[in-house]
Amino acid sequence: MATNVVPGADPDAPLPHSVQGIKRDAHPFSRPQLEGLMTKRFFYTQAFEIYGGVAGLYDYGPTGASLQANIISAWRQHFILEEEMLELDTTIMTLSDVLKTSGHVDKFADWMCKDPKTGEIFRADHLVEGVLEARLKGNEEARKAEGGGETGAKKEQAVPAEGGQDDKKAKKKKAKSAIVKLDDAVVEEYESVLAQIDNYTGKELGDLIRKFEIKAPESGNEVSEPVEFNLMFETSIGPTGQVKGYLRPETAQGHFVNFGRLLDFNNGRVPFASAHVGKSFRNEISPRAGLLRVREFTMAEIEHYVDPLEKDHDRFDETAGLTLAFLPKDVQQSGKSDLSHITIGEAVKSGMVDNQTLGYFLGRIHLFLLKIGIDPKRLRFRQHMANEMAHYASDCWDAEIQTSYGWIECVGCADRSAYDLTVHSKKTKKDLIVRKALSEPRVYDKLVPVIEKKLLGPKFKKDAKAVEEAIMDLSEEQLEVLKSHLENGTAKVKAGEQSFEVTPELVKVEKRTIRESVREFTPNVIEPSFGIGRIFYALLEHSFWAREDDKDRGVLSLPSLVAPIKALVVPISSNDKLAPLVKEVSRKLRAKGISSRVDDSSATIGRRYSRNDELGTPFACTLDFASLSKGTMTLRERDSTSQRIGSVDEVIAVIKEMCDGTISWEGACERLPAYSGEQSLD
Amino acid sequence: MATNVVPGADPDAPLPHSVQGIKRDAHPFSRPQLEGLMTKRFFYTQAFEIYGGVAGLYDYGPTGASLQANIISAWRQHFILEEEMLELDTTIMTLSDVLKTSGHVDKFADWMCKDPKTGEIFRADHLVEGVLEARLKGNEEARKAEGGGETGAKKEQAVPAEGGQDDKKAKKKKAKSAIVKLDDAVVEEYESVLAQIDNYTGKELGDLIRKFEIKAPESGNEVSEPVEFNLMFETSIGPTGQVKGYLRPETAQGHFVNFGRLLDFNNGRVPFASAHVGKSFRNEISPRAGLLRVREFTMAEIEHYVDPLEKDHDRFDETAGLTLAFLPKDVQQSGKSDLSHITIGEAVKSGMVDNQTLGYFLGRIHLFLLKIGIDPKRLRFRQHMANEMAHYASDCWDAEIQTSYGWIECVGCADRSAYDLTVHSKKTKKDLIVRKALSEPRVYDKLVPVIEKKLLGPKFKKDAKAVEEAIMDLSEEQLEVLKSHLENGTAKVKAGEQSFEVTPELVKVEKRTIRESVREFTPNVIEPSFGIGRIFYALLEHSFWAREDDKDRGVLSLPSLVAPIKALVVPISSNDKLAPLVKEVSRKLRAKGISSRVDDSSATIGRRYSRNDELGTPFACTLDFASLSKGTMTLRERDSTSQRIGSVDEVIAVIKEMCDGTISWEGACERLPAYSGEQSLD
């Protein structure tokens, strides 16, 4: 599969990093090779494969399900347990009213264009992106032929949309890259557009399509103006057909509608956080990047509720010294992508990151990703640009991980301000607020409207209530204006579409002294939101390599924390005498909670080890005839292939400690002598 | 809330069991009290509560989510790890073709009736059940007034259906019970109908409604004939609207469509099992029994693939000696519900349970339910009756747990035979079979049709292909008949709706000798399927009680294996000197993976203990001034309220062992001396 590449993920470049301190043999990364391994070892596969498959839906097999479960378990440990968050499990099926309030019914949409002649549907931004990237690639090739330079980064390919079942058919229709040299100014313009591609409205995308004469790649037809397509799956709840539901597009709303109960559970105090791991759904127009753009996915979301006046964080010091790779918004808006390597402390101090709590979570996200095996050199934090960010968000950073598809958003970390709790409270008329005792009472003056209801009612009759409400809803500033108008005679009050004239007899605006001993506020919400499937895929790319002497077989250098299986148990031969010992070792590993797998097939020991390397299993226990006579067992480490020897129980104890993270392989080597290959012979 | 009751769950009867060997104070079970606790301590709540709620959808709060996660984790340990099953995570969104093949699109439906005047919708079987139960109750009251006898068991209440948001409104409309004495023969007939209520077709339900003159309970109107309502939520995949999808009603189909890859992963061998924990969806007509009948629920399903000729199980001996409470189908068909208490070995030997594998899983299910805290006296295994069982199933048993709603199906354990794999294979034309080398080749004679295509084609023209296929699909017996007919002249072949006459010139049936060295077969599937939410709720009822001296506060005697929080940490006073020690103990507990919660509120120690009892926390660590001077800590056990004392580290070590299940409370008492209340004073 031909794809554009990014620096560092170039298929011709050596694998740039080494996990766990063990140097890997240099060997070019090949996505088809990784994908082949994923299918062969059943990490994942397209859902309903025997029925032709459905784009954007994937099933995880035994290895993938286990790797995913281990990532989630590490996540729970790192966030929920470590920070004592309140875990939730809310419904996927969501009442339409809730998503109407949150804005999803009206605004959770992508822009799509149609080829009116063929009926093909494209996601508009992907169409622009794909065509411009193809042109840039053609330009590069043209320049290469002349001995010219290189340009640009890319994201995903633009391909035609299909709700349908045949991914392969669509793949053939990818935007082709004609070898045409472009002017330097054009190259620069294309690159600037690509750097801001998430930033355009539908109208702007339509303008770009006309300006750059972008056509449907396969047919060459002009495409229609971009129209909105809501990304939520819709259904009907119950037999009457009268209650509408959507599959949730995020878990967040499930947290917010339960805020009152959560606050009670936390004895009415903030800050605290709720957390939720679960499936969400987005009816993508054109899902075409493997696990990176799917219609059903596992998310892990945290909603951290905080006093808007106190966004400092208790444990900020623990992450303030960490250096991250930041890509702030102003750099992007200038069409560039240079990273700032500074500490979180500096980033918050300079105001680049809005507050300590947000900074703290960026640090915790960084530490989590490293812990499960993401390469820190291929991780950056990109700030959202103004248009890209939800209108209510005050700051938002994505943890982006570099893969062969480009830099991919894997974790979002947004300050959603008080938006969600405010709109739900307003809609349901339920208080979603925190009450905090003030250390000393707050005394202040406030303008208060005083309505003469006995006169107002007869005067406005059926409109009286609306007028009264409109007056009561006026802000301090508006009351100031009303007061001054009334002092000069009459004033106008707008209620709905109508305007009403009020006089000083009907309404007065008085200054009152207010004394408060409790402060009421709607908490702000900081939301770290993890796409588990994207992290899963990025981790596989970062872990995958091949040995120089066995290029056709891959190795998955997954940390033992997340590896699907921790230990392989192999008898050196199929001699029946070894069988009871194999069972015994399996039983002992199971009793320690170490997941293991026996390979007693007739394949050579080397072949069995490599099969194991493909599954990402970090340790192999080999039983031979010395095991019977002396009770020894050898221990092989996957990345270095080096082997040690010890008693069965000691080897198992060492594996347990390595899985728990209390010792490293170096530590294990101090406990167990090297295996020379001879110990088993005498 | 008034409800009918079952023997043993009668609100006036003493709680019949004692978990973990500690006798509980006798106190009547009260469902409203349990429900109040569930909401107060945020175990669960109706989803979208602030929007008025949606019937059949529930959100789990921090305590409930944790209890659920612990049940699932115990399940994984007991089944997946212990039996080395292959775990899957497949999509909820399911291609309609898959569910068409499995039969769900056509048959996964309940019968509903409408009150044509009010528009109210009822689930037909629940309507019949509710009305007859109300009449039986009225009869009982009438007889009680005369000093008469008692009758019958019940399941759920019949209430009108609503897709809608207001559960409370519906509750008012429950079938009322008029105090009317019934003839003995009528009582017997009603009871017989209720015992078989899951067993009726739509037409039969319609007949019962007319025969017993059942009307809409609230309006008194006649209801319409029962019509089918498909219980799957339907939606559309992708932007074209052309690909239809359903939310899966079970995880099973996700296993079956991946069977080929699973078999490969298992090196082509059976038996093996796949397992899947995940959400499924059923658009219930009238969900009205709390967590017991919901529209979105977590399932844990196992599909165990087995050679149809070898349904014995390797580890059968491990469960054969267990005595279960069986309710076989013949007993139910005679309208009774007497249990047989026999061993699994006897049940399989007598043929009551179809085979060893099925029997083995019944035993494993029993052990699992006991392990998490289900009362064995309120657990039975009920066999499906003929009409109740899917047509392809060869045997099916439900683990039913007794609650205040009656006996509730919580685990199904069916032998689905080769049905699913066969239909998917036929539809997709993909082999879903196992190949097994025969120890010696099988040689046998077989009838084979030989078609003279050159003559058959011209003779039947456009129908020729259908006729040919019909002949090739004939069974051995049918070929025998065809052969004898052809020997006597002509024969008829049925292809679709039409019949065709064939002559010996067109077709011959010959006897051939077949020699097979490999046997090919479609494996049979044994399916244990767990409704996690139902088990969760039943466990709460079985764990809930109240102390004689504190009747208003409940105690949840959850085993420490599944308790949401394992240890409470309480400082005896709010003295600042204790704070560092509280932090230290929390940290030590966390480091050992023991989830804990600090209660440093100003409430009395007794009040803090009772709060803790409501959360089901089995252990409390109390820190006092002796803790500072001597490094001691007391340990309180929830059920007995007895207290022991030891060094901080020793107490934590004992808690860890109790959570791991390596010692019991009795074992802990041997390690730690009793606390007299005086040790802290000196």
Side-chain angles (χ1 to χ4, degrees):
Chain A
M1 193 200 303
T3 57
N4 289 350
V5 288
V6 287
D10 187 315
D12 300 322
L15 195 80
H17 77 298
S18 93
V19 163
Q20 296 181 315
I22 288 159
K23 201 188 161 297
R24 298 186 195 161
D25 298 340
H27 181 67
F29 172 74
S30 152
R31 198 201 292 161
Q33 197 185 354
L34 173 63
E35 286 174 343
L37 171 59
M38 292 298 101
T39 314
K40 185 169 77 168
R41 296 296 177 209
F42 203 3
F43 278 77
Y44 60 88
T45 186
Q46 198 169 35
F48 317 112
E49 203 185 4
I50 62 172
Y51 280 82
V54 177
L57 294 178
Y58 287 86
D59 286 346
Y60 289 70
T63 35
S66 173
L67 174 57
Q68 179 185 250
N70 294 341
I71 292 172
I72 291 170
S73 167
W75 190 89
R76 278 210 168 89
Q77 188 67 41
H78 187 85
F79 290 102
I80 299 186
L81 292 182
E82 181 60 35
E83 315 229 351
E84 294 180 357
M85 294 173 176
L86 304 182
E87 189 163 3
L88 289 173
D89 183 14
T90 70
T91 59
I92 289 168
M93 184 64 67
T94 306
L95 184 64
S96 56
D97 292 356
V98 172
L99 293 161
K100 179 78 187 166
T101 304
S102 68
H104 286 87
V105 172
D106 297 327
K107 288 181 194 156
F108 193 68
D110 276 339
W111 297 97
M112 66 177 182
C113 307
K114 201 168 176 174
D115 177 334
K117 291 182 186 157
T118 66
E120 262 179 39
I121 294 172
F122 303 89
R123 191 172 136 177
D125 56 344
H126 287 187
L127 176 68
V128 171
E129 198 173 33
V131 170
L132 297 192
E133 278 167 0
R135 290 182 190 169
L136 286 173
K137 196 168 179 226
N139 168 63
E140 257 178 62
E141 284 171 27
R143 287 178 186 225
K144 216 177 263 172
E146 296 181 10
E150 238 183 82
T151 49
K154 74 156 288 285
K155 295 198 172 180
E156 291 163 41
Q157 291 285 336
V159 285
E162 241 177 283
Q165 301 169 29
D166 193 352
D167 208 7
K168 280 161 212 123
K169 203 164 61 191
K171 276 181 188 156
K172 289 190 206 141
K173 297 183 186 165
K174 237 178 254 164
K176 278 170 269 167
S177 51
I179 303 178
V180 175
K181 190 178 163 184
L182 305 171
D183 286 347
D184 285 356
V186 172
V187 169
E188 204 173 309
E189 190 175 10
Y190 283 5
E191 286 175 349
S192 166
V193 167
L194 289 173
Q196 301 176 66
I197 193 71
D198 294 337
N199 213 5
Y200 296 109
T201 63
K203 195 188 161 303
E204 286 167 342
L205 287 168
D207 292 346
L208 290 172
I209 287 170
R210 277 189 305 277
K211 178 175 180 192
F212 297 134
E213 297 183 334
I214 290 172
K215 304 282 184 341
E218 188 67 6
S219 67
N221 295 328
E222 286 203 9
V223 297
S224 66
E225 271 301 288
V227 294
E228 277 191 322
F229 173 70
N230 193 296
L231 297 180
M232 292 195 295
F233 286 100
E234 187 182 325
T235 190
S236 184
I237 304 176
T240 64
Q242 284 158 15
V243 182
K244 199 150 88 173
Y246 295 99
L247 303 190
R248 69 177 171 214
E250 56 174 18
T251 72
Q253 303 307 320
H255 301 235
F256 301 140
V257 295
N258 283 301
F259 175 74
R261 294 211 172 276
L262 288 166
L263 183 66
D264 273 357
F265 192 86
N266 205 51
N267 301 320
R269 292 182 286 202
V270 290
F272 75 92
S274 53
H276 190 329
V277 182
K279 291 270 186 104
S280 293
F281 293 78
R282 296 184 185 178
N283 198 4
E284 293 285 349
I285 293 169
S286 169
R288 288 285 175 268
L291 293 185
L292 298 181
R293 188 164 298 281
V294 291
R295 290 176 165 146
E296 174 174 343
F297 48 96
T298 299
M299 294 179 99
E301 285 191 306
I302 295 165
E303 308 296 335
H304 180 89
Y305 310 93
V306 60
D307 184 338
L309 303 182
E310 295 176 23
K311 288 192 178 176
D312 281 1
H313 195 286
D314 253 10
R315 297 172 68 172
F316 183 65
D317 287 350
E318 293 176 29
T319 61
L322 281 177
T323 296
L324 306 190
F326 292 100
L327 177 56
K329 59 185 169 197
D330 49 352
V331 172
Q332 298 165 70
Q333 271 150 357
S334 71
K336 301 230 168 64
S337 58
D338 305 319
L339 300 177
S340 303
H341 292 272
I342 58 171
T343 66
I344 294 173
E346 289 163 337
V348 171
K349 201 171 170 198
S350 71
M352 187 173 91
V353 169
D354 186 73
N355 57 70
Q356 278 195 4
T357 300
L358 197 56
Y360 174 74
F361 277 113
L362 296 183
R364 294 288 298 162
I365 292 164
H366 176 85
L367 291 173
F368 170 72
L369 293 173
L370 264 52
K371 187 188 271 183
I372 61 165
I374 293 295
D375 178 4
K377 291 191 219 68
R378 300 168 75 186
L379 170 61
R380 72 181 185 190
F381 289 83
R382 188 180 72 79
Q383 190 171 30
H384 277 207
M385 292 176 279
N387 287 1
E388 196 183 348
M389 199 155 60
H391 62 94
Y392 51 81
S394 64
D395 195 6
C396 183
W397 291 82
D398 288 340
E400 292 189 335
I401 305 179
Q402 198 184 38
T403 71
S404 62
Y405 291 95
W407 286 98
I408 301 298
E409 172 196 346
C410 291
V411 188
C413 191
D415 185 333
R416 292 176 81 126
S417 74
Y419 175 77
D420 303 272
L421 293 176
T422 306
V423 292
H424 285 301
S425 172
K426 202 164 170 184
K427 176 74 190 173
T428 61
K429 314 227 184 289
K430 302 274 193 300
D431 271 354
L432 299 175
I433 52 170
V434 175
R435 291 183 179 82
K436 214 175 207 174
L438 292 167
S439 51
E440 51 189 271
R442 182 170 163 241
V443 181
Y444 61 97
D445 290 338
K446 193 182 169 187
L447 292 177
V448 174
V450 180
I451 295 170
E452 205 60 57
K453 291 196 188 180
K454 278 185 198 155
L455 299 176
L456 192 97
K459 164 100 181 166
F460 294 117
K461 300 195 174 71
K462 70 173 174 47
D463 295 321
K465 193 155 179 266
V467 173
E468 192 184 327
E469 280 179 3
I471 294 170
M472 296 310 291
D473 279 352
L474 293 174
S475 68
E476 188 80 7
E477 289 72 26
Q478 290 169 322
L479 285 171
E480 194 77 66
V481 174
L482 179 65
K483 186 165 190 276
S484 78
H485 283 192
L486 286 171
E487 279 161 6
N488 298 326
T490 63
K492 288 220 162 126
V493 171
K494 218 176 159 193
E497 295 302 301
Q498 279 184 280
S499 199
F500 299 89
E501 200 174 78
V502 294
T503 59
E505 290 74 45
L506 296 170
V507 186
K508 287 184 183 58
V509 178
E510 293 178 1
K511 186 164 275 181
R512 299 254 174 95
T513 298
I514 309 285
R515 187 185 168 84
E516 282 177 0
S517 56
V518 169
R519 202 182 114 232
E520 289 187 348
F521 61 88
T522 304
N524 280 15
V525 178
I526 312 277
E527 178 194 76
S529 171
F530 296 70
I532 298 295
R534 289 182 165 200
I535 294 172
F536 172 100
Y537 178 76
L539 174 60
L540 286 168
E541 276 207 8
H542 289 201
S543 303
F544 182 70
W545 58 296
R547 300 191 202 282
E548 201 53 46
D549 56 359
D550 191 8
K551 286 185 185 167
D552 295 340
R553 277 180 177 272
V555 180
L556 278 177
S557 285
L558 296 165
S560 51
L561 178 71
V562 294
I565 302 157
K566 313 301 183 198
L568 170 76
V569 181
V570 270
I572 195 97
S573 82
S574 58
N575 192 302
D576 283 349
K577 285 187 184 154
L578 292 171
L581 198 55
V582 168
K583 266 201 166 160
E584 174 73 5
V585 170
S586 291
R587 197 192 52 72
K588 283 185 169 172
L589 287 166
R590 190 156 62 222
K592 292 226 184 254
I594 300 166
S595 73
S596 67
R597 196 174 187 219
V598 172
D599 188 348
D600 55 3
S601 71
S602 58
T604 64
I605 193 91
R607 187 139 189 116
R608 284 185 280 167
Y609 286 150
S610 351
R611 223 185 256 167
N612 200 51
D613 293 344
E614 289 188 327
L615 294 171
T617 310
F619 309 112
C621 304
T622 311
L623 293 160
D624 56 18
F625 295 98
S627 307
L628 289 174
S629 59
K630 298 184 166 180
T632 56
M633 180 160 79
T634 65
L635 174 63
R636 173 187 183 267
E637 195 275 337
R638 175 197 59 209
D639 296 353
S640 62
T641 73
S642 72
Q643 295 193 56
R644 319 297 294 190
I645 191 165
S647 74
V648 165
D649 288 339
E650 175 67 358
V651 168
I652 290 175
V654 164
I655 293 175
K656 171 77 177 154
E657 287 192 50
M658 286 192 290
C659 290
D660 290 348
T662 53
I663 62 168
S664 64
W665 176 243
E666 287 67 33
C669 291
E670 284 168 23
R671 296 258 290 272
L672 302 171
Y675 173 64
S676 65
E678 278 166 28
Q679 286 103 317
S680 71
L681 298 174
D682 58 341
Chain B
M1 194 199 304
T3 57
N4 289 349
V5 289
V6 286
D10 186 314
D12 300 321
L15 196 79
H17 76 299
S18 92
V19 163
Q20 295 182 316
I22 288 157
K23 205 190 159 296
R24 297 183 195 163
D25 297 342
H27 182 67
F29 172 76
S30 151
R31 198 200 293 162
Q33 197 185 355
L34 174 63
E35 286 174 342
L37 170 59
M38 292 298 102
T39 314
K40 185 170 76 169
R41 297 297 177 208
F42 204 2
F43 278 77
Y44 59 89
T45 186
Q46 197 170 35
F48 318 113
E49 202 183 2
I50 62 172
Y51 280 82
V54 176
L57 294 178
Y58 288 87
D59 287 347
Y60 289 72
T63 36
S66 173
L67 174 57
Q68 179 185 250
N70 293 342
I71 292 172
I72 291 170
S73 166
W75 190 90
R76 279 210 168 88
Q77 188 68 41
H78 187 84
F79 290 102
I80 300 186
L81 291 181
E82 182 59 33
E83 316 229 353
E84 295 180 355
M85 294 173 177
L86 305 182
E87 189 162 3
L88 288 172
D89 183 14
T90 70
T91 58
I92 290 168
M93 184 64 67
T94 305
L95 184 63
S96 56
D97 292 355
V98 172
L99 293 161
K100 179 80 187 162
T101 304
S102 68
H104 286 87
V105 171
D106 296 326
K107 289 180 196 156
F108 193 69
D110 276 339
W111 296 97
M112 65 177 185
C113 305
K114 202 168 176 174
D115 178 334
K117 292 183 185 154
T118 66
E120 262 179 38
I121 293 172
F122 303 89
R123 195 173 133 176
D125 56 342
H126 287 189
L127 176 66
V128 171
E129 197 172 33
V131 170
L132 297 193
E133 278 168 359
R135 291 183 190 169
L136 285 174
K137 198 168 180 225
N139 169 62
E140 259 177 62
E141 285 171 27
R143 289 180 183 225
K144 215 177 263 170
E146 297 181 10
E150 236 181 84
T151 49
K154 73 157 289 285
K155 295 197 171 180
E156 291 165 40
Q157 292 285 338
V159 286
E162 240 177 285
Q165 300 171 28
D166 194 354
D167 208 5
K168 281 162 213 122
K169 203 163 59 187
K171 275 180 188 156
K172 288 189 210 144
K173 297 183 187 163
K174 240 179 256 165
K176 279 171 266 167
S177 50
I179 303 178
V180 175
K181 190 179 163 183
L182 304 172
D183 286 346
D184 285 355
V186 172
V187 169
E188 204 173 310
E189 190 176 9
Y190 283 6
E191 285 177 349
S192 167
V193 166
L194 290 172
Q196 301 174 66
I197 192 71
D198 294 338
N199 213 5
Y200 296 109
T201 63
K203 195 188 160 304
E204 287 166 343
L205 287 168
D207 292 346
L208 291 171
I209 287 170
R210 277 189 308 275
K211 179 175 179 190
F212 298 135
E213 297 184 335
I214 291 170
K215 305 279 180 352
E218 189 67 7
S219 68
N221 295 328
E222 286 204 9
V223 298
S224 67
E225 272 300 288
V227 294
E228 279 192 317
F229 173 70
N230 194 295
L231 297 179
M232 292 193 297
F233 287 100
E234 187 182 326
T235 191
S236 185
I237 305 175
T240 64
Q242 284 158 16
V243 182
K244 199 150 90 172
Y246 295 98
L247 304 191
R248 66 177 172 214
E250 56 175 17
T251 72
Q253 303 307 321
H255 302 234
F256 301 140
V257 296
N258 283 301
F259 175 74
R261 293 211 172 277
L262 288 166
L263 183 67
D264 273 357
F265 192 84
N266 205 50
N267 300 320
R269 292 183 285 201
V270 291
F272 75 91
S274 52
H276 191 328
V277 183
K279 291 269 186 102
S280 293
F281 294 77
R282 296 185 185 178
N283 198 3
E284 293 286 348
I285 293 171
S286 168
R288 287 286 175 269
L291 293 185
L292 298 181
R293 189 164 297 281
V294 290
R295 289 176 166 146
E296 175 173 342
F297 48 97
T298 299
M299 295 180 99
E301 286 192 307
I302 295 165
E303 309 295 335
H304 180 89
Y305 310 92
V306 60
D307 185 337
L309 302 181
E310 296 176 24
K311 287 191 178 176
D312 282 0
H313 195 286
D314 251 10
R315 297 171 68 172
F316 183 65
D317 287 350
E318 293 176 28
T319 62
L322 282 176
T323 297
L324 307 189
F326 292 100
L327 177 55
K329 59 185 169 196
D330 48 353
V331 173
Q332 298 165 69
Q333 271 150 357
S334 71
K336 303 230 167 64
S337 58
D338 306 318
L339 299 178
S340 303
H341 292 271
I342 59 172
T343 65
I344 295 173
E346 289 162 338
V348 171
K349 203 172 166 197
S350 72
M352 187 174 92
V353 169
D354 186 72
N355 58 70
Q356 279 196 4
T357 300
L358 198 55
Y360 174 74
F361 277 113
L362 296 183
R364 294 288 298 162
I365 291 165
H366 176 86
L367 291 173
F368 169 72
L369 293 173
L370 264 54
K371 186 187 272 181
I372 61 166
I374 292 296
D375 179 3
K377 291 191 220 67
R378 300 168 75 187
L379 171 61
R380 72 180 185 191
F381 288 84
R382 188 180 72 78
Q383 190 170 29
H384 278 208
M385 292 176 277
N387 287 2
E388 197 184 348
M389 199 155 60
H391 62 94
Y392 51 82
S394 63
D395 195 8
C396 183
W397 291 83
D398 287 341
E400 292 189 333
I401 305 179
Q402 198 185 38
T403 70
S404 62
Y405 290 96
W407 286 98
I408 300 299
E409 172 197 344
C410 289
V411 187
C413 191
D415 185 333
R416 292 176 80 126
S417 74
Y419 175 76
D420 304 273
L421 293 177
T422 306
V423 293
H424 285 301
S425 173
K426 202 164 169 184
K427 176 74 186 171
T428 61
K429 313 228 182 290
K430 302 273 195 299
D431 272 354
L432 299 175
I433 52 169
V434 176
R435 290 183 180 82
K436 213 176 209 175
L438 292 167
S439 51
E440 52 189 273
R442 182 171 162 240
V443 181
Y444 62 98
D445 290 337
K446 194 183 170 185
L447 293 178
V448 176
V450 181
I451 295 168
E452 204 61 56
K453 293 196 186 175
K454 278 184 196 155
L455 299 175
L456 193 99
K459 166 100 179 164
F460 296 116
K461 300 194 174 72
K462 68 173 175 40
D463 296 320
K465 197 159 175 261
V467 173
E468 192 184 326
E469 280 180 3
I471 294 171
M472 297 309 292
D473 278 353
L474 293 175
S475 69
E476 188 81 5
E477 288 73 26
Q478 291 168 321
L479 285 172
E480 196 77 64
V481 173
L482 180 64
K483 189 166 187 275
S484 78
H485 284 192
L486 286 171
E487 278 161 7
N488 297 326
T490 64
K492 289 218 161 125
V493 170
K494 216 175 162 196
E497 295 300 302
Q498 279 184 278
S499 199
F500 299 89
E501 199 174 78
V502 293
T503 58
E505 289 74 47
L506 296 170
V507 187
K508 284 183 187 58
V509 178
E510 293 179 0
K511 186 164 275 182
R512 299 250 175 99
T513 298
I514 309 284
R515 188 188 169 84
E516 283 177 359
S517 56
V518 169
R519 202 181 114 233
E520 290 187 347
F521 60 88
T522 304
N524 280 15
V525 178
I526 312 276
E527 179 195 75
S529 170
F530 296 70
I532 298 296
R534 289 182 164 199
I535 294 172
F536 172 100
Y537 178 77
L539 175 60
L540 287 167
E541 277 207 6
H542 289 203
S543 304
F544 182 70
W545 58 296
R547 300 189 203 282
E548 202 51 48
D549 57 358
D550 192 9
K551 286 186 187 167
D552 295 340
R553 275 179 179 271
V555 180
L556 277 178
S557 284
L558 296 166
S560 52
L561 179 72
V562 294
I565 302 157
K566 314 300 183 197
L568 169 77
V569 181
V570 270
I572 196 95
S573 81
S574 58
N575 192 301
D576 282 349
K577 283 187 185 156
L578 291 172
L581 198 55
V582 168
K583 264 200 168 162
E584 174 75 3
V585 170
S586 290
R587 195 191 54 71
K588 283 185 170 173
L589 287 166
R590 190 157 61 224
K592 293 228 183 252
I594 300 166
S595 72
S596 67
R597 195 172 187 220
V598 172
D599 187 349
D600 55 3
S601 71
S602 57
T604 64
I605 192 91
R607 190 143 186 110
R608 283 183 282 167
Y609 286 150
S610 350
R611 221 185 258 168
N612 199 51
D613 292 344
E614 290 188 325
L615 294 172
T617 310
F619 310 111
C621 304
T622 311
L623 293 161
D624 56 18
F625 295 100
S627 307
L628 290 174
S629 59
K630 297 182 168 184
T632 56
M633 176 160 82
T634 66
L635 174 63
R636 173 187 183 267
E637 195 275 337
R638 173 197 60 208
D639 297 354
S640 61
T641 73
S642 73
Q643 295 194 55
R644 318 296 294 189
I645 190 165
S647 74
V648 166
D649 288 338
E650 176 66 357
V651 169
I652 290 175
V654 165
I655 293 175
K656 170 75 177 155
E657 286 193 52
M658 287 192 289
C659 289
D660 290 348
T662 54
I663 62 169
S664 63
W665 177 243
E666 288 67 34
C669 292
E670 284 168 24
R671 295 258 292 272
L672 302 172
Y675 173 65
S676 64
E678 279 167 25
Q679 286 102 319
S680 72
L681 298 173
D682 58 339

